[in-house]
Amino acid sequence: MNDPLAREPLACTVVIPCRDEALALPGVFSTIPDGMNVIVVDNGSVDGTAEVARSLGAEVVYEDVAGYGAAVHAGILAATAPLVAVLDGDGSMDPADLPELASVVSRGAATMAIGRRRPEGNGVWPWHARAGTAVLAWWIRRSSGFGVHDLAPMRVCRRDDLLALDITDRRFGYPLELMIKASRAGWTVHERDIVYRRRARGTKSKVSGTLLGTWRTITDFARVLT
């Protein structure tokens, strides 16, 4: 990392929404940066996700309402640090990328810092999911000038700023609503490339891994756009 501030511990809570990610969490926690506490939001797991998370030192919050947005919102409410980071719990992203993003927000260089996924190999990111993300990001850039190329599965912002946006989607439309409302609120954004890896063996995507997940995502995005 070129930025010395990125090596300093920052008051940041990492929120990890999870459903059946017990097999992935040990790998995720192996690179959690020093000084960042973790809240794992168990969103209806049946594989012992909560127990594994707790054994790794995380605070566990339970959210009974199914949905990515519901889980993220529960974690944000439970967080106490001024900065909050959000990333998936499937092992596809490296938490070691978080300090640089957190540093950008902490020093006021941007309101939100996000990771732009760069797949490390073929087949890591299904073509239909990647194409859909590219189209939505293009629409956001074109309609608002908000310079994003991904829907920020890894992101850092100030907790108070995020709550002030009043994001209401509790399903897969949450990231899209976040981008739209952040652009309208005049947020600035810093985007950097992050490596996007294959998710941990034994876990399954809730979005692109099934036809039902893909369909739910499409309908959730459509609802946000209307």
Side-chain angles (χ1 to χ4, degrees), residues 24-223:
L25 286 180
V28 174
F29 274 74
S30 68
T31 57
I32 291 289
D34 292 339
M36 292 188 178
N37 65 301
V38 180
I39 294 176
V40 166
V41 183
D42 189 338
N43 196 211
S45 300
V46 296
D47 68 343
T49 287
E51 290 75 15
V52 171
R54 202 173 283 112
S55 74
L56 294 168
E59 176 184 350
V60 175
V61 172
Y62 293 92
E63 175 52 62
D64 294 332
V65 177
Y68 174 82
V72 170
H73 186 65
I76 299 301
L77 291 179
T80 57
L83 299 182
V84 289
V86 178
L87 78 157
D88 294 342
D90 59 11
S92 61
M93 292 169 280
D94 190 348
D97 289 319
L98 288 173
E100 184 175 343
L101 298 179
S103 174
V104 169
V105 179
S106 179
R107 67 176 185 264
T111 317
M112 176 168 59
I114 67 177
R116 180 183 183 182
R117 289 172 288 183
R118 296 295 195 181
E120 67 175 0
N122 294 330
V124 172
W125 194 355
W127 70 268
H128 57 282
R130 188 173 184 178
T133 297
V135 169
L136 288 169
W138 171 83
W139 179 84
I140 292 170
R141 294 195 307 275
R142 183 175 182 274
S143 62
S144 69
F146 204 51
V148 296
H149 298 80
D150 200 349
L151 294 184
M154 176 186 284
R155 56 189 178 270
V156 180
C157 60
R158 293 191 179 276
R159 178 179 181 272
D160 290 347
D161 289 343
L162 182 57
L163 290 175
L165 289 182
D166 191 27
I167 301 169
T168 59
D169 192 278
R170 294 295 179 260
R171 293 172 33 133
F172 294 128
Y174 182 100
L176 180 58
E177 185 181 352
L178 167 61
M179 296 296 108
I180 293 172
K181 287 190 171 179
S183 66
R184 291 173 179 170
W187 283 26
T188 54
V189 63
H190 168 83
E191 187 177 64
R192 69 176 294 269
D193 290 352
I194 61 171
V195 175
Y196 190 53
R197 308 175 297 202
R198 292 188 184 277
R199 58 185 299 114
R201 187 182 300 274
T203 63
K204 188 174 183 179
S205 173
K206 286 74 177 176
V207 178
S208 59
T210 66
L211 289 175
L212 179 59
T214 300
W215 175 249
R216 284 176 174 171
T217 303
I218 291 171
T219 57
D220 289 347
F221 283 173
R223 185 177 62 252

